Amino acid sequence: MEKTWRWFGKKDPVTLDMLRQIGVEGIVTSLHDVPNGEIWTAEAIREIKDYIELFGLRWSVVESLPVSEAIKYGGSDRERLLENYKISIANLGKAGVKTVCYNFMPVIDWIRTDLHKPNGDGTYSLFFDPVKFACFDCCILARKGAEKDYPEKIMKQVYDMDRSITEAQKDELIDTIIVKTQGFVSGNIREGEKNPVNLFKQLLALYDGIDKEQLRANMKYFLEQVVPVAEKCGVNLCVHPDDPPFPVLGLPRIVTSEEDIEWFLNAVDNPHNGLTFCAGSLSSGLHNDVITLAQRFAKRTHFVHLRSTEVDADGYVLEASHLEGRGKVIELVRIFERENPHIPMRIDHGRLMLDDVNKTYNPGYSFLGRMYAFAQVMGVMAAVSSGQ
Ligand code: DNO
């Protein structure tokens, strides 16, 4: 697989010069300054591509070309936004950027409740705590009927938490769940937003009455529109699985399981309609076995995210060290190197370690933590390719 790295543009404290030194071959990035829904012009694409190439690297993957909410819920602006999306894909294809990752998660992208969960060895991991999340939903958003979505065991702890949580802790939870993890991945809420909870509630309201079937219909419509353009321009589209892979906040999520993956691949059965195999997201659902999924979908995978998780029966999800846990990274490398050896892969997230704690990075995207995992995976790849 091609060794790639997610880079957040010229403002990223991790520079392309640093990446060149550690064996990165390709860059995964987005036009982070272009507002969601607007056309990615040939000039803007060319500018960033040329910059990457100055360092002897290539722009391998777009992560992400964001899908606007109105496309996902089927709003009145959908046709215009779809046209813009198609033009952006065509411009990328013409520029030679041929792998485009996106997601189809309503309102909120990946979800974490803790950005600094201490590990026993002094490092920190990202974490999903179902009690904190339910508390955010039931007590902070106060979503109508939310209590019914959680098991009694969790709700008992939520009521306790509601009695003891301070205003500062509430603010931190809000900031973690809907601000810090969202803005930098082209999400809906950016740092500095004055009233993130209000804005978030307005976004949730857009999905009133949209169930799983309707969201599937909207995704199929999206795929029917954009896949032919991708095919014509030689672009491989690859949807990122929902993280975590289950419905949240009363919103449907439709890229969560083997059945879902099969569904969207068949919805428009074309090789340009593919999957981003995110081992972390998929493994965080106990219903998923990543080995089975990789064996089944490797040929329709265009991009791989290597990461692992530890999950318990109550739904606590810890981002594990990359070679341990349910992500089964070693076996995945074996499968993808055999079945689809030319696709790009990147290390997804890293623990916060050593000097990382003194720097300001986007959550999950510290330098040393990711470099450590990158070196581990390069070792695995070398062993696999030498037949070990
Ligand atoms: C988080 C990321 C996601 C991912 C998008 C892809 O670290 O894995 O935000 O980039 O869902 O569209």
Side-chain angles (χ1 to χ4, degrees):
M1 287 179 282
E2 184 191 17
K3 294 158 188 145
T4 68
W5 183 282
R6 190 174 197 181
W7 175 72
F8 294 100
K10 292 181 190 169
K11 292 182 215 133
D12 193 327
V14 180
T15 64
L16 294 179
D17 192 39
M18 290 158 77
L19 297 180
R20 195 168 54 155
Q21 293 185 37
I22 64 169
V24 168
E25 297 162 342
I27 294 300
V28 176
T29 196
S30 178
L31 296 188
H32 290 285
D33 296 330
V34 177
N36 187 317
E38 285 188 17
I39 290 171
W40 286 21
T41 62
E43 297 69 39
I45 294 169
R46 171 68 51 199
E47 206 250 316
I48 202 77
K49 185 169 181 280
D50 286 350
Y51 182 75
I52 292 170
E53 288 171 1
L54 281 180
F55 293 82
L57 297 163
R58 59 188 295 261
W59 186 358
S60 306
V61 182
V62 171
E63 180 175 358
S64 300
L65 181 57
V67 179
S68 310
E69 294 301 333
I71 295 179
K72 289 182 271 188
Y73 69 82
S76 56
D77 214 11
R78 168 161 73 170
E79 298 308 320
R80 181 185 71 83
L81 292 163
L82 279 168
E83 283 314 308
N84 287 359
Y85 204 90
K86 288 187 218 171
I87 296 171
S88 298
I89 291 176
N91 286 344
L92 284 163
K94 274 184 228 140
V97 185
K98 302 278 189 180
T99 306
V100 175
C101 168
Y102 68 97
N103 73 71
F104 217 81
M105 289 177 255
V107 183
I108 184 165
D109 191 316
W110 63 311
I111 303 176
R112 296 295 181 276
T113 57
D114 297 75
L115 305 180
H116 296 98
K117 178 83 175 167
N119 295 305
D121 58 7
T123 62
Y124 299 89
S125 285
L126 301 175
F127 190 62
F128 178 83
D129 177 329
V131 174
K132 284 189 182 174
F133 186 65
C135 183
F136 167 75
D137 189 5
C138 304
C139 313
I140 297 175
L141 292 180
R143 184 172 61 87
K144 209 165 149 231
E147 298 75 16
K148 291 200 297 295
D149 289 353
Y150 302 96
E152 206 176 306
K153 186 173 168 193
I154 296 284
M155 280 315 296
K156 277 200 185 118
Q157 297 172 72
V158 170
Y159 296 131
D160 286 345
M161 192 175 169
D162 193 28
R163 278 190 289 275
S164 61
I165 191 168
T166 63
E167 286 307 309
Q169 286 168 331
K170 275 191 190 170
D171 287 343
E172 193 185 341
L173 198 54
I174 294 167
D175 199 40
T176 299
I177 298 177
I178 60 174
V179 184
K180 281 215 166 60
T181 45
Q182 303 301 308
F184 80 95
V185 293
S186 313
N188 283 310
I189 300 183
R190 305 227 156 214
E191 298 267 355
E193 170 63 42
K194 291 225 168 45
N195 197 334
V197 171
N198 260 1
L199 174 58
F200 194 76
K201 284 182 177 174
Q202 287 164 20
L203 289 159
L204 287 181
L206 296 171
Y207 286 83
D208 278 350
I210 307 271
D211 61 5
K212 177 176 169 180
E213 286 322 303
Q214 186 59 51
L215 190 63
R216 274 190 169 181
N218 294 350
M219 184 174 182
K220 185 164 196 263
Y221 186 72
F222 164 77
L223 291 171
E224 283 165 351
Q225 298 283 318
V226 299
V227 172
V229 177
E231 179 172 26
K232 198 164 154 223
C233 310
V235 166
N236 286 326
L237 294 170
C238 43
V239 68
H240 187 284
D242 304 337
D243 179 2
F246 43 77
V248 292
L249 308 171
L251 299 164
R253 285 191 153 196
I254 56 171
V255 190
T256 65
S257 62
E258 185 168 1
E259 193 236 324
D260 282 349
I261 297 171
E262 189 180 1
W263 174 82
F264 86 79
L265 291 177
N266 289 333
V268 173
D269 191 10
N270 179 314
H272 296 269
N273 171 27
L275 175 68
T276 294
F277 195 100
C278 177
S281 307
L282 292 167
S283 69
S284 64
L286 287 174
H287 55 282
N288 287 326
D289 171 52
V290 288
I291 305 292
T292 310
L293 297 178
Q295 281 163 341
R296 180 136 189 232
F297 300 118
K299 294 266 198 270
R300 287 284 288 270
T301 295
H302 298 312
F303 182 30
V304 177
H305 284 182
L306 293 177
R307 173 164 73 81
S308 190
T309 58
E310 277 160 25
V311 188
D312 80 359
D314 290 324
Y316 289 84
V317 181
L318 177 72
E319 294 210 359
S321 148
H322 284 69
L323 299 189
E324 290 160 17
R326 292 177 43 81
K328 304 277 182 256
V329 164
I330 299 173
E331 197 48 35
L332 291 185
V333 169
R334 258 190 242 290
I335 295 171
F336 285 109
E337 288 288 42
R338 188 178 61 233
E339 301 291 328
N340 208 347
H342 301 298
I343 53 176
M345 78 80 194
R346 74 166 175 85
I347 293 299
D348 194 24
H349 306 168
R351 286 173 297 160
L352 216 56
M353 56 166 59
L354 306 167
D355 193 41
D356 282 343
V357 293
N358 302 314
K359 302 267 169 59
T360 309
Y361 294 116
N362 291 326
Y365 291 90
S366 70
F367 181 60
L368 295 174
R370 273 189 298 163
M371 182 172 79
Y372 181 84
F374 185 68
Q376 287 179 311
V377 167
M378 285 215 280
V380 172
M381 287 173 72
V384 166
S385 67
S386 72
Q388 307 283 305

